[in-house]
Amino acid sequence: MGLDLNLLVPLDALLQERSVTRAAERLGLSQPTLSTALGRLRRHFGDELLTRVGNTYELTPLAERLAENTAEALGYTDRVFRTRPDFDPAVAEHEFTLVLTDCQLPTFGRALADLVLETAPGVRLRYRHSTEHFVQRAHDNLRTVDAIVLPQGILAQLPSLDLFQDRWVCVASADDEPAISCAEELAGRQWVLPYYHPSVVFPSLRRLRERGVEPRAAITTEDYLAVPHLLAGTDRLSLVPERIARLFALQGKTSVVDLPFELGVLVETLWWHPMHERDPAHIWLRQIAARAAQLVTAGAHSPGA
């Protein structure tokens, strides 16, 4: 490609710091060295990358696009060089990155963290927020993380492990507590729908549509934990996993709405890229994740337990 790959690290530092001086300090290099690297990068990309605006520098549109790709490339490279022929959790110094929705953190996320602390004190967990963008490109994005937790059926043609079951429930503001006796009453309400997207149809939405209800999504969000705040003082409804609905109820923020039909089962599943299949560290991670799921199923890490 005609480019020294050693420039990848200075490129990342320059894009993150948006300053030659700060990038040099971050890498422990001299400012002239970083200035030389920036000049080579500018010639390679045919773009200024950093442009002065007043007393500061801003990223060019190309640099904005490069920033995310550069961080992912460095993360992937780091994972390659951290690979070992075996894995001893008692002495290992390692970091695992998992992508979760916020509603999985108080249950599965906490159970996994407790088990890791107990069995592998040198292992760190990095939890990243699940987004629509990540899920849509999961086959590629899973190269840069260890795993993602998603409901069964969202992804395909990737190795996976079923963790635990939950069920969908309908919730309303704590001061609402509506009595729903027919589908028409549901259709008349506005809804707050987490992760609502035409290409992703959860069983709960499917059940509503089977009953002739097409929820009017007044608000969509990628944060389940924001749902109570978006319902408070309104007649809106939402769909959330039962375990997180219990947490909302304990906080006095929402009430579960009794419906004349079930909304379906939710099977939370761990997914990973095939490249991790035989990695000893990743095998251990899947084993400890299965144990964490057992704790969630037993109720040991449910809200209020």
Side-chain angles (χ1 to χ4, degrees):
M1 297 189 305
L3 179 68
D4 183 356
L5 290 180
N6 289 324
L7 289 174
L8 190 59
V9 173
L11 174 61
D12 180 61
L14 287 163
L15 296 180
Q16 296 300 323
E17 298 295 340
R18 305 187 182 199
S19 162
V20 172
T21 301
R22 290 196 300 271
E25 293 173 352
R26 172 175 168 175
L27 298 178
L29 299 174
S30 68
Q31 186 170 334
T33 298
L34 260 292
S35 294
T36 299
L38 177 58
R40 294 178 62 188
L41 289 164
R42 282 170 167 168
R43 288 192 295 274
H44 173 79
F45 289 106
D47 187 88
E48 284 297 296
L49 301 179
L50 295 174
T51 58
R52 182 179 287 278
V53 179
N55 295 324
T56 62
Y57 281 93
E58 292 186 358
L59 300 183
T60 66
L62 174 64
E64 292 280 3
R65 298 199 303 272
L66 286 172
E68 181 178 348
N69 293 336
T70 302
E72 289 183 358
L74 281 174
Y76 181 61
T77 302
D78 180 63
R79 295 177 62 81
V80 169
F81 284 97
R82 283 194 288 112
T83 302
R84 295 291 183 269
D86 52 25
F87 184 80
D88 183 352
V91 299
E93 294 289 335
H94 197 90
E95 180 177 271
F96 292 106
T97 301
L98 292 91
V99 180
L100 307 172
T101 63
D102 58 344
C103 76
Q104 293 158 349
L105 291 174
T107 54
F108 174 74
R110 173 60 190 270
L112 182 63
D114 289 351
L115 286 175
V116 168
L117 178 62
E118 175 187 330
T119 59
V123 169
R124 303 174 305 281
L125 293 175
R126 182 184 179 198
Y127 290 146
R128 287 179 53 184
H129 187 61
S130 180
T131 65
E132 179 183 318
H133 175 73
F134 189 98
V135 174
Q136 286 180 337
R137 299 179 53 204
H139 286 70
D140 294 326
N141 289 333
L142 281 173
R143 293 179 178 273
T144 65
V145 301
D146 289 283
I148 184 172
V149 179
L150 284 172
Q152 188 183 76
I154 300 299
L155 299 180
Q157 299 178 340
L158 283 169
S160 64
L161 170 69
D162 288 347
L163 295 172
F164 58 91
Q165 288 191 2
D166 208 332
R167 58 187 288 266
W168 292 100
V169 296
C170 179
V171 294
S173 177
D175 55 7
D176 187 3
E177 298 187 3
I180 303 294
S181 60
C182 63
E184 287 73 16
E185 294 178 49
L186 293 173
R189 296 286 188 119
Q190 291 190 338
W191 291 76
V192 177
L193 295 178
Y195 292 91
Y196 181 65
H197 191 271
S199 65
V200 178
V201 181
F202 292 121
S204 52
L205 281 173
R206 190 177 301 114
R207 293 294 178 87
L208 286 176
R209 288 167 178 168
E210 288 172 355
R211 299 280 177 156
V213 178
E214 182 60 47
R216 290 190 295 141
I219 302 173
T220 60
T221 177
E222 291 183 343
D223 297 277
Y224 282 98
L225 298 184
V227 166
H229 306 285
L230 300 173
L231 295 181
T234 74
D235 64 352
R236 301 181 187 122
L237 301 175
S238 187
L239 300 171
V240 300
E242 184 178 29
R243 282 185 171 85
I244 205 66
R246 293 177 195 161
L247 176 60
F248 296 161
L250 287 172
Q251 297 170 344
K253 294 181 177 180
T254 67
S255 60
V256 174
V257 179
D258 291 326
L259 300 181
F261 54 88
E262 287 292 321
L263 289 172
V265 173
L266 167 68
V267 181
E268 296 287 15
T269 303
L270 188 77
W271 306 81
W272 61 91
H273 195 276
M275 62 181 285
H276 301 311
E277 192 70 19
R278 293 186 291 178
D279 176 21
H282 204 277
I283 292 172
W284 177 83
L285 173 65
R286 300 195 298 263
Q287 292 170 344
I288 208 77
R291 288 176 56 192
Q294 290 173 352
L295 292 175
V296 174
T297 299
H301 284 77
S302 294

